[in-house]
Amino acid sequence: MEHPIRRLAPETATHIAAGEVIERPLSALKELLENALDAGARAIEVRVEGSLDRGFQIADDGVGIAASELELALERHATSKLRSLDDLDRLETLGFRGEALPSIAAVSRLRLTSRARGADAASYVAVEGGVTSGRGDAARAPGTTVEVSDLFFNVPARRKFLSSPAGEMRAAYRLLEALALAFPEVAWRMVVDGRDRLDWPAATSRRERASALWGARHAAQLLEARGERDGLAIEALLGLPEHGRASRGGQVFLVNRRWIQSPVLAQALRQGYGNLLPAGRFPAAILWLSVPPARLDVNVHPTKREVRFPTEESVFSLVAGVCARPLASLQPPFTVVRGGGTEPSWADRVRERPANQTDLGLESRSGPDATAGGGAATPAPAPPVAGEPEMWQLHRTYILAPVRGGLVIIDQHAAHERILYEEAFARLTGERASSQQLLFPAVVDLSRDQFELLLELGPWLKQLGWDLAPLGPPTVVIQGVPPGLRHESPGQLLQDVLDGVSERSGRTAHENVAEHLARSFACHAATRAGDALTLPEMRALADRLFATARPHGDPHGRVTFVRLDLDELHRRFGR
Amino acid sequence: MQLTIQQADLAFAVGRALGSVSSKSPLPLLSCILLEAEAGSLRITGTDLDVTTAVTVPCTVATPGRVAVSARHFNEVVRKMPRGPLVLSVTGGQCEVRYGDGKGWSKFPIQDAADFPRIPDLKADTRVSLGGDVLSRMVARTIFSASSEETRPMLNGVLVQGGDKQAVFVATDGHRLSKATRKGAFSGLAKDGVIVPTRAFQTVSRIAEEATSPVELQVAGARNQAAFTAQVGEYRVQVLTRLLEGPYPNYEQVIPRGNPREMRVRRSDLMEAVDIVASHADNVTRQVRFSLRPGRIGVSSATELGAGEHQLDAQYAGEAMEIGYNAGYLMEILRSIPTEEVVFRLNTSLAAGVIEPVGALPEAEEEMLCLIMPLRLPDAAG
Ligand SMILES: Nc1ncnc2c1ncn2[C@@H]1O[C@H](COP(=O)(O)OP(=O)(O)O)[C@@H](O)[C@H]1O
Ligand SMILES: [Mg+2]
């Protein structure tokens, strides 16, 4: 036999498991933070040097690890949290597999220093790529410090697929935000390259924590919702409909204090907002759900970001119902998005049946209706300027433009996206755009990761015509906007653009920032289907589209226009 | 329902009411007008639920009644009928209009008037009256600066403030602002004022122009509604509107008081220059560049469409300065000012500039001021 079955050497098995548990630097951070929380820490401090994969450390004031157990903690399937399978049903801790520490140790240089509560000294163990490289006494207050550096130094293949360090840092801010919301009683601090980046003192309530995260002004606008049914309890802080975002980036779901992803919760939340949000916008909200541990399956995915609920329907209806309540009592200006649908006119009831027009055999000369006479109440549509083409908007989505030999049907959104994309790209790589200064600068509260991205993209945003002044994080003042924008509140647009960039650049490193930004800007600043356009606007759109380098498709590759030939029409009508 | 009415009276009422009928309403009844006949008068109402116009005209009523007919069609036909008395009656589910002493008739299908949206009576708590000409001028001097962006609804209208010293109209879209004042006692209206939607003011200002009486503004603060009422000869016209909810931004705070650089220029010269040069401007940003030099300014623009520059004399003694503007905003502002000369009061090339008439306005009790935010030019510092 060419490939006999063999049992893997323990190091190899650990290595493979490490790949699942620790897929990226962020997972290492997450696992270690969870350990600190499981140890009952009341204060957690994260220090990052350069980037997560270069090195970070986490210090907590939890129960600590006895000197005699330090090495055991680094062994696979060694845990103090689970004794038997039944314990899973009573699980109160975030960790339970005993895999995190050994997995991280297998792919990095790690140093674990701890002093158990009641012990009078601390000790440490150092490991490199899974192999113990030292141990001894150390000095520290009760609690644990884990230092991790050179992540994946011995897994070059993995290094290649890592996100950009900045993208990973943004994800880290999101993680800390989520955990801070899950554990408001814990004080959090994060220091990056010696600078204090986050500092959230222990809070006495969820709202107080939210206000530390996003500023008191923003937190005060969040709506509260709570409810309980069949042992499930939910509490939520809901963003106003007008603060809806272009992605789900503003949603944090915490189930039994675990930060999870959940399509069910996302849909339930969306349902709660009903028609207060137009299609394509997502509410910003934090949900805290508590479920009896015995009825929640947390062992679904190696990264523990997914859970299985006892019955999805009951979770769905509880969440949707509870969230809908405070939203229902909102007053305008949150105008309800009405469904379309025109009723047939009453004329059918009374109209005389159309008869065939008898024909004198003369060529009919159709002229414009005589609209002269006093009392014309609505201004007649302006006649097209001589020589300029007439154009029509169809269902507020398409532009019909006659061209020689036929008709062009333009998708207004796709076309505008193409135009804005090329313009933005030219701006980002060439001369800076002018910027329309604002009479009332807009103050916008961003989320932490949006704010970090904004700092990163600062110079590019300026090239595009944004004039931004960061206030204290995470607030920014918009003093000027790219000129010629329609329909958008600058703050909303800025957030959408940032979300678009982070969605695209989240996972893969070293991609062209200008490209991402141009795409995101074009996508969010473009006229939407449903926007009414005036004739000059339609003309400008058509002119600009055909002046672009690639008028045929938008940046996502969808077509921007189709052409209908007169010959084709003639053929269809049998001419 | 049956009545006799002069064609001119009916045509006027229908035409004005039609002004508030939405052209693409999903509800058939909203594309109708409501006719209500009672003791000596006919009231015709058109509404799109936001703005309602009701016109009351004299007539001889034989049988009172209410009926709804298709606004556009009814208007089109009535308008063409010969002058003189018309007999309007409702029989057999149709509305019939006879004209020319039996010469002709038209019949219109009717809608159940009971389904027509109920226009609530306005329970006004304050009222103030303004001359029709004053009102239409104040609107014309401000309304163009109002926003049409849906995201900040309070800017989709004109702020109207009263007080015992003056009335103030203000509109802004965040890029420019215009303010018109008239001295006098307008204490019927609160100092913090109300925000009248742009669309309502478009209708009102047309009626204000032809009004033969002052226009009375009544506000029902609690219900956020207002009504403008005026007499046009024998006709009584009322425009009811929903008011926009504030708060309106604190505009006083953004009007700069001590801008150090002053530039005076003939308005028509500047409009000519901007108009010509802006033909080359980007059709979206409409960007033109002002180059201020002692004694003159240059207006220029350059895009792939072409380039142009226009020099004109101006009174300017400050240091040389480059500043960018949206030509569209600028033209609207310049058009709204009636004086021969205008003055720009500027600070830096990024800060708000004030544009004002030079000398008194034709009406001594009135004043106006506009603000414009510049475009930061690509070569500007910062
Ligand atoms: N910060 C910490 N404070 C105290 N004990 C810790 C800490 N981190 C890890 N431990 C101990 O090490 C054990 C193994 O950790 P880990 O590999 O993450 O597995 P798990 O968290 O699933 O138990 C934990 O069960 C715990 O007893
Ligand atoms: Mg763990």
Side-chain angles (χ1 to χ4, degrees), chain A residues 35-36 38-39 60 63-65 73 78-81 95-102 144:
Chain A
N35 282 350
D38 283 346
D60 68 55
V63 292
I65 307 171
T79 175
S80 56
K81 302 168 192 173
F96 50 84
R97 296 199 185 105
E99 275 186 326
L101 277 179
T144 305

Side-chain angles (χ1 to χ4, degrees), chain A residues 242 331-333 338 340-347 349-350 369-378 396 423 427 431-441 462-463 465-467 479 481 483-490 492 531 540 543-544, chain B residues 11 14-16 18-19 24-28 32 70 72 75-76 79-80 93-94 109-111 148-153 172 174-177 206 245 249-251 254 282-285 287 326 329 350 352 371 373-378 380-382:
Chain A
E242 61 172 3
Q331 297 296 315
R338 273 186 221 137
T342 50
E343 292 170 36
S345 94
W346 44 271
R349 239 175 37 212
V350 285
D369 276 4
T371 40
T378 40
R396 293 197 176 177
E423 282 180 0
R427 290 273 140 77
E431 187 185 275
R432 175 165 115 191
S434 52
S435 169
Q436 171 66 56
Q437 302 293 297
L438 299 177
L439 206 42
F440 306 97
K462 191 166 201 170
Q463 285 292 117
W466 292 93
D467 220 337
Q479 294 167 329
V481 295
L485 291 181
R486 285 174 51 107
H487 289 321
E488 284 287 352
S489 85
Q492 181 94 71
D531 290 343
D543 286 350
R544 289 162 74 204
Chain B
V14 174
R16 292 300 174 276
L18 181 62
K24 26 189 179 289
S25 164
L27 301 171
C32 287
S70 161
R72 231 154 283 284
N75 176 60
E76 208 170 300
R79 211 175 61 200
K80 295 174 185 158
Q94 300 196 331
I110 60 173
Q111 285 275 71
S148 52
E149 203 180 82
E150 284 160 26
T151 44
R152 281 187 292 176
T172 182
H175 298 171
R176 64 242 166 101
L177 177 147
R206 173 156 177 223
E245 263 182 76
N250 184 349
Y251 67 88
V254 297
D282 181 299
N283 54 19
V284 174
T285 69
Q287 176 181 318
N326 176 316
Y329 296 166
L350 293 184
L371 287 191
M373 287 306 286
L375 286 163
R376 186 190 62 191
L377 295 167

Side-chain angles (χ1 to χ4, degrees), chain B residues 168-239:
Chain B
V168 184
F169 283 39
V170 178
T172 182
D173 63 359
H175 298 171
R176 64 242 166 101
L177 177 147
S178 37
K179 175 182 171 197
T181 51
R182 178 162 177 111
K183 294 200 184 70
F186 297 93
S187 22
L189 194 62
K191 261 213 169 96
D192 35 349
V194 295
I195 312 170
V196 179
T198 311
R199 280 208 324 92
F201 253 154
Q202 281 160 349
T203 310
V204 168
S205 103
R206 173 156 177 223
I207 284 146
E209 270 165 40
E210 50 190 15
T212 51
S213 72
V215 179
E216 190 178 48
L217 164 59
Q218 293 166 276
V219 177
R223 306 193 53 174
N224 234 1
Q225 283 177 325
F228 295 85
T229 315
Q231 214 50 51
V232 178
E234 282 182 285
Y235 315 138
R236 192 180 123 90
V237 185
Q238 184 170 61
V239 178

